[in-house]
Amino acid sequence: MELIFELSKSGRRGFIPPRADVKNYELDLKYVRKTPLNLPEVTEGDVVRHYTNLSRLNYAVDIGFYPLGSCTMKYNPKLNERVASLPGFTDIHPYQDLSTIQGALELMFNLGESLKKISGMDAITLQPAAGAHGEYTGIAIIRQYHRDRKDFERDEIIIPDSAHGTNPASSAMNGFKVVEIKSDDRGMVNVDELKKAVSSHTAGMMLTNPNTLGIFEENVLEISKIVHDAGGLMYYDGANLNAIMGQIRPGDLGFDIVHFNLHKTFSTPHGMGGPGSGPIAVKDYLADFLPIPTISKKGEEYTFDFSHKKSIGRVRSFYGNFSVVVKAYAYILIMGEEGIKKASEMAVLNANYLRAKISKILKVPYNNTCMHEFVATTLPLEEKGIKALDFVKRMLDYGIHPPTVYFPMIVHEDIMVEPTETESKDTLDHFVDIVEKIVKEAEENPEILKDAPHKTPIRRLDDTRAARNPVLRWKGN
Ligand SMILES: *Cc1c(COP(=O)(O)O)cnc(C)c1O
């Protein structure tokens, strides 16, 4: 496809601004451009076709099934977008007088209360802009907590080998050493290894539950106790909250800090770089460390609260990604307690339905009842020269977005499938049919997988070159 700059023809216009009704202002010559600005000259029709065609090159959850494990690519109701774009929300400014934005503050306050209730925590900040940013904030709080107690020896965070890459990154960015714990043969944290790993150096542990294999950590209470007894804190990576919301609460499982990915669990589209939102909630003994300001209610009035004496400071300008917060609140109100509970039930049911069917076609290494996602492997197809990457690229030819591959790293040639609660049995059955078809192709005609995808606008990319030598900017003719 041509770029909009390449479509440009001198003299074409899409928009003519109204004649100015204010006096011309003469700019000081030193501020005046020497060369004209290089803008594309195109008609309104050119622009509409260009961007419509561009959008048709994309795959999206609004086009088809998107079972990207660990990402919760559920359908996000359009009503919530509509609510977030109401002028009362979009036309306000963070520096407005508090008396004029009481509604916005009330909304943020109420969302905080709902998330506290869902997670079983006591205090919250909506500032972090993503899950990884929430992790960074939470680990900074762990660091501050130990410093405040004059416990300067604690320089290690314990992380299971199934963890998301952001966990070690957030710990390292806060100056901690990462201690990795191996999973046991059921895909859970090896408790004996954990016992050996804790010491007076343990600052805390990061855990997602269910973990990235889609397995609930059955020993979570014991794990929390081991870490707490050693003087550490428990951090809950909430990316997988969709599996347990309304059923159990991280706060009751011994976690001290929780992050939420509003863009995964609570109805904000994601996958093209944001905006996201990663609030974190903490137990009361950590509330004073939260970033300032938080939002509080005094009588009938909502205000920004700067009173935290031990705050780690701000982690983002203003108060977080407000439009995402609005969507999350709208979603929670519409779903209600019953709806939220039902959503996690359906997410788990859908995943187990798929796991049971797929395990007859592909190898599923931890093939017990799973939570919201499961991991399969294409390893047995290796003798045909087929990698997991080839397998999932072929799915694109059948109109399905590839699942996550090569994560978690403890299963080789793995594909990680998360169907979410918003998919129907028809869609799941269709997915099973396609997987079956591709396995057959792998056996009979493996070459067709190795060259896949065949039907997409762009074929297989050279990932290494894209990472090492990215061309991100059009430099003009
Ligand atoms: C997505 C995810 C994260 C990071 O969240 P972002 O919002 O993408 O920064 C962390 N942990 C797990 C398990 C995840 O799936």
Side-chain angles (χ1 to χ4, degrees):
M1 237 183 97
E2 281 178 305
L3 299 175
I4 191 123
F5 288 95
E6 293 164 327
L7 291 173
S8 177
K9 286 266 159 36
S10 166
R12 286 198 180 156
R13 288 284 173 278
F15 174 73
I16 297 170
R19 199 174 287 281
D21 57 1
V22 289
K23 262 213 218 125
N24 273 352
Y25 177 78
E26 290 300 325
L27 267 182
D28 193 329
L29 267 185
K30 71 176 179 205
Y31 297 122
V32 175
R33 291 184 68 91
K34 304 286 181 292
T35 50
L37 191 60
N38 183 18
L39 291 175
E41 298 185 61
V42 284
T43 66
E44 181 176 321
D46 293 335
V47 173
V48 168
R49 286 197 180 148
H50 178 71
Y51 285 105
T52 304
N53 283 318
L54 254 189
S55 77
R56 294 187 348 167
L57 299 182
N58 258 347
Y59 191 89
V61 74
D62 288 351
I63 293 174
F65 191 34
Y66 207 135
L68 195 64
S70 207
C71 292
T72 313
M73 303 299 283
K74 57 167 101 173
Y75 173 75
N76 302 298
K78 297 293 171 263
L79 179 62
N80 301 332
E81 294 295 331
R82 177 108 174 259
V83 169
S85 58
L86 290 173
F89 293 131
T90 55
D91 292 352
I92 51 177
H93 191 280
Y95 280 148
Q96 255 174 255
D97 190 86
L98 284 190
S99 66
T100 67
I101 49 168
Q102 283 295 305
L105 293 181
E106 180 178 358
L107 186 149
M108 290 192 274
F109 181 84
N110 287 353
L111 175 67
E113 293 302 299
S114 302
L115 293 176
K116 277 156 56 177
K117 197 166 168 199
I118 290 170
S119 60
M121 307 305 271
D122 304 315
I124 192 160
T125 171
L126 305 178
Q127 264 183 42
H133 195 195
E135 291 173 31
Y136 174 81
T137 307
I139 301 300
I141 288 175
I142 292 182
R143 189 178 60 176
Q144 198 73 351
Y145 165 82
H146 291 302
R147 281 187 183 175
D148 181 58
R149 300 169 72 243
K150 310 248 178 309
D151 194 347
F152 299 112
E153 206 185 29
R154 297 188 183 271
D155 57 354
E156 291 175 357
I157 299 281
I158 298 173
I159 299 175
D161 60 359
S162 60
H164 197 261
T166 48
N167 291 187
S170 311
S171 301
M173 279 183 75
N174 276 294
F176 286 109
K177 284 183 222 144
V178 173
V179 177
E180 190 179 280
I181 294 286
K182 292 244 173 316
S183 303
D184 64 16
D185 53 9
R186 293 195 305 156
M188 298 179 208
V189 169
N190 187 325
V191 174
D192 291 329
E193 291 249 342
L194 177 64
K195 282 182 189 153
K196 278 185 243 155
V198 293
S199 72
S200 58
H201 280 278
T202 304
M205 176 173 189
M206 298 182 86
L207 192 65
T208 184
N209 197 15
N211 64 27
T212 60
L213 290 162
I215 297 170
F216 189 85
E217 296 280 357
E218 284 172 9
N219 302 316
V220 61
L221 292 176
E222 191 185 353
I223 291 170
S224 298
K225 185 166 186 317
I226 293 169
V227 173
H228 284 152
D229 285 350
L233 295 178
M234 288 294 288
Y235 182 94
Y236 181 80
D237 174 337
N240 295 339
L241 192 70
N242 210 52
I244 61 155
M245 60 178 182
Q247 314 289 337
I248 50 163
R249 310 187 308 166
D252 300 332
L253 301 178
F255 289 95
D256 306 286
I257 308 177
V258 172
H259 86 243
F260 308 83
N261 302 63
L262 296 188
H263 47 285
K264 288 180 180 170
T265 320
F266 297 102
S267 185
T268 276
H270 61 117
M272 299 308 275
S277 176
I280 63 166
V282 298
K283 286 284 172 69
D284 52 7
Y285 40 86
L286 297 174
D288 208 29
F289 296 103
L290 283 173
I292 43 164
T294 54
I295 295 154
S296 59
K297 189 176 180 187
K298 298 217 168 75
E300 283 311 300
E301 263 191 61
Y302 298 91
T303 58
F304 291 121
D305 184 349
F306 289 89
S307 69
H308 310 53
K309 292 199 184 51
K310 297 172 180 171
S311 171
I312 59 163
R314 274 184 189 274
V315 295
R316 193 187 182 281
S317 56
F318 302 121
Y319 320 112
N321 279 334
F322 182 65
S323 75
V324 184
V325 164
V326 176
K327 284 182 253 189
Y329 188 53
Y331 177 78
I332 289 174
L333 282 187
I334 291 166
M335 297 290 280
E337 267 185 54
E338 277 310 304
I340 292 220
K341 209 168 158 194
K342 187 94 196 209
S344 58
E345 277 167 21
M346 291 302 295
V348 171
L349 182 62
N350 277 358
N352 276 290
Y353 179 76
L354 264 194
R355 180 190 52 79
K357 294 239 161 185
I358 296 287
S359 64
K360 299 205 178 83
I361 313 169
L362 285 174
K363 191 168 155 45
V364 173
Y366 304 99
N367 195 15
N368 296 315
T369 306
C370 64
M371 297 297 288
H372 62 307
E373 64 192 358
F374 65 95
V375 171
T377 171
T378 62
L379 204 55
L381 298 173
E382 203 160 48
E383 58 191 52
K384 300 277 177 189
I386 297 301
K387 310 287 253 172
L389 189 69
D390 305 318
F391 196 92
V392 302
K393 289 284 184 196
R394 182 65 176 150
M395 287 185 188
L396 284 163
D397 288 333
Y398 293 107
I400 290 175
H401 192 283
T404 299
V405 284
Y406 302 117
F407 173 73
M409 312 233 264
I410 50 181
V411 178
H412 294 295
E413 299 303 326
D414 60 321
I415 68 176
M416 186 192 201
V417 183
E418 179 181 7
T420 82
E421 71 277 17
T422 57
E423 298 300 336
S424 66
K425 181 169 173 293
D426 297 341
T427 304
L428 304 183
D429 287 337
H430 176 64
F431 178 73
V432 174
D433 288 345
I434 299 301
V435 170
E436 202 161 12
K437 215 177 218 163
I438 298 176
V439 169
K440 215 158 166 215
E441 286 176 344
E443 276 151 11
E444 289 165 4
N445 182 12
E447 292 312 310
I448 202 166
L449 274 68
K450 288 181 200 162
D451 292 342
H454 301 270
K455 296 184 184 161
T456 50
I458 292 176
R459 303 276 307 272
R460 182 100 50 120
L461 292 172
D462 181 341
D463 293 341
T464 313
R465 222 177 100 216
R468 294 282 155 83
N469 186 20
V471 181
L472 303 175
R473 183 170 162 248
W474 183 71
K475 295 227 180 68
N477 298 318

